[in-house]
Amino acid sequence: MASLLQRVKSKMAIFAHRKARGMLDGEYGSVFKGRSLDFDDLRAYVPGDEVRDIDWKASARHGSPLIRRYVAVRRQTVILIADTGRNMAAEARSGEMKKDIAVLSLGVMGYLAHRHGDVVGLVCGDSSGSRSFPAKSGEAHLERLLRHVDSHTGLDAAASSIQDQLDFVARNVKGRNLLFVVADELAADDATGRLLRRLRAQHEILWLTVRDAELVAPARDAQDADAGRESFSVADSALLVRQPALSAAVADAYARAVVERDRGRHAMLRAAGITEGGVASSADVVTGLFALLERHRRAG
């Protein structure tokens, strides 16, 4: 069986260049405010780096700006929070299963933590319950976490309810950690907003939304792509009208509903002080996580 972590490393190959890899590692390292750091080495300055991290004496000797890099004295804990409900067995915007994009996203964040010497745990589940795995180090441990998410997400799972996993964390996870949440396109509500504010008071939180399949597309493209194909809702197995854009009125109503749902989620997360990113395909994951980490740093 192919290693899921090896697939993660392959996707990260786009950042194999030392300068680009340093940028991604630097964005991850900036998440933990106030962590105790020791000097590690110097690297070339790249746009977006903090000016306060420039070593001016070394830069003068070198002839170009150099940035001081640090390593954490004590390990931090990263808790991956994953929706393994059947909603994640649906198609993403790219046509891939949302599960595959989620596993890759969790793997990239987990591997960044591993490279920084941090420990990684997992809380996952659906509306029927949650399961937790204690935070540990090592690639073998990370592989086991990814395998569990991959094997427990399918059409035979219970409905998605990321709120249940968040509530589990609020009741059971102690200390201050980084929570990395990968979920479906969540609709905002007051109870979830209160839960998120409670969690944010204790933890740093990064939120990644895996985008739904696009049901409103140019009608001609849809007719060509979906000829003879039936699609069903993962929520209740109901037959879906694959192309609402064939009716302008239905397409407009659908598009407005999507915008309103996204706007509500953005507002809820923003009010809780949580940085959100979104990905629509596995090809987006590495660059999407880099953008999310950078956005979090700038917001802090």
Side-chain angles (χ1 to χ4, degrees), residues 166-167 169-172 192-203 205 272:
L166 296 171
D167 182 67
V169 172
R171 290 183 289 105
N172 295 282
T192 303
R194 288 192 296 271
L195 176 58
L196 290 172
R197 290 191 295 273
R198 175 185 170 191
L199 285 167
R200 182 62 185 87
Q202 179 180 348
H203 305 283
I205 305 176

Side-chain angles (χ1 to χ4, degrees), residues 27-32 35 72 74-82 105-124 132-138 141-142 145-146 169 173-182 203-207 289 292-293:
E27 294 297 346
Y28 171 83
S30 71
V31 170
F32 294 102
R35 75 152 77 194
R74 64 183 181 87
R75 292 190 298 184
Q76 306 293 334
T77 299
V78 177
I79 305 296
L80 307 176
I81 303 178
S105 302
L106 296 165
V108 171
M109 182 61 74
Y111 188 59
L112 282 173
H114 164 71
R115 281 169 41 148
H116 279 251
D118 294 333
V119 293
V120 182
L122 171 69
V123 172
C124 62
S132 66
F133 295 81
K136 297 180 182 179
S137 60
H141 170 68
L142 181 55
L145 300 186
L146 299 181
V169 172
V173 176
K174 309 302 180 185
R176 184 170 180 82
N177 309 287
L178 170 63
L179 309 183
F180 178 56
V181 185
V182 180
H203 305 283
E204 292 287 338
I205 305 176
L206 296 173
W207 191 286
L289 278 179
L292 174 62
L293 290 166

Side-chain angles (χ1 to χ4, degrees), residues 128-166:
S128 69
S130 300
R131 182 171 178 184
S132 66
F133 295 81
K136 297 180 182 179
S137 60
E139 292 191 8
H141 170 68
L142 181 55
E143 177 73 23
R144 283 193 295 272
L145 300 186
L146 299 181
R147 285 277 169 212
H148 181 85
V149 174
D150 184 66
S151 63
H152 285 75
T153 308
L155 293 174
D156 56 347
S160 293
S161 180
I162 194 67
Q163 294 92 334
D164 289 353
Q165 284 70 64
L166 296 171

Side-chain angles (χ1 to χ4, degrees), residues 13-29:
I14 189 173
F15 280 83
H17 186 280
R18 183 177 179 183
K19 182 180 291 187
R21 186 174 65 243
M23 290 173 65
L24 183 60
D25 283 330
E27 294 297 346
Y28 171 83

Side-chain angles (χ1 to χ4, degrees), residues 166-268:
L166 296 171
D167 182 67
F168 180 93
V169 172
R171 290 183 289 105
N172 295 282
V173 176
K174 309 302 180 185
R176 184 170 180 82
N177 309 287
L178 170 63
L179 309 183
F180 178 56
V181 185
V182 180
D184 195 19
E185 293 190 336
L186 182 68
D189 61 70
D190 292 342
T192 303
R194 288 192 296 271
L195 176 58
L196 290 172
R197 290 191 295 273
R198 175 185 170 191
L199 285 167
R200 182 62 185 87
Q202 179 180 348
H203 305 283
E204 292 287 338
I205 305 176
L206 296 173
W207 191 286
L208 190 71
T209 296
V210 181
R211 302 308 305 266
D212 283 342
E214 182 57 81
L215 296 183
V216 175
R220 184 176 60 189
D221 292 347
Q223 289 171 330
D224 290 344
D226 294 327
R229 176 184 176 188
E230 291 184 333
S231 298
F232 299 86
S233 168
V234 295
D236 56 11
S237 299
L239 181 65
L240 292 174
V241 179
R242 179 68 183 178
Q243 186 40 249
L246 294 176
S247 164
V250 173
D252 289 344
Y254 173 82
R256 287 195 301 271
V258 170
V259 169
E260 286 301 313
R261 180 193 60 197
D262 288 349
R263 186 177 294 156
R265 183 179 65 257
H266 298 333
M268 178 180 68

Side-chain angles (χ1 to χ4, degrees), residues 83-98:
D83 174 3
T84 57
R86 62 173 174 261
N87 287 26
M88 298 303 284
E91 282 188 8
R93 192 157 296 180
S94 62
E96 302 166 272
M97 282 183 64
K98 289 184 178 182

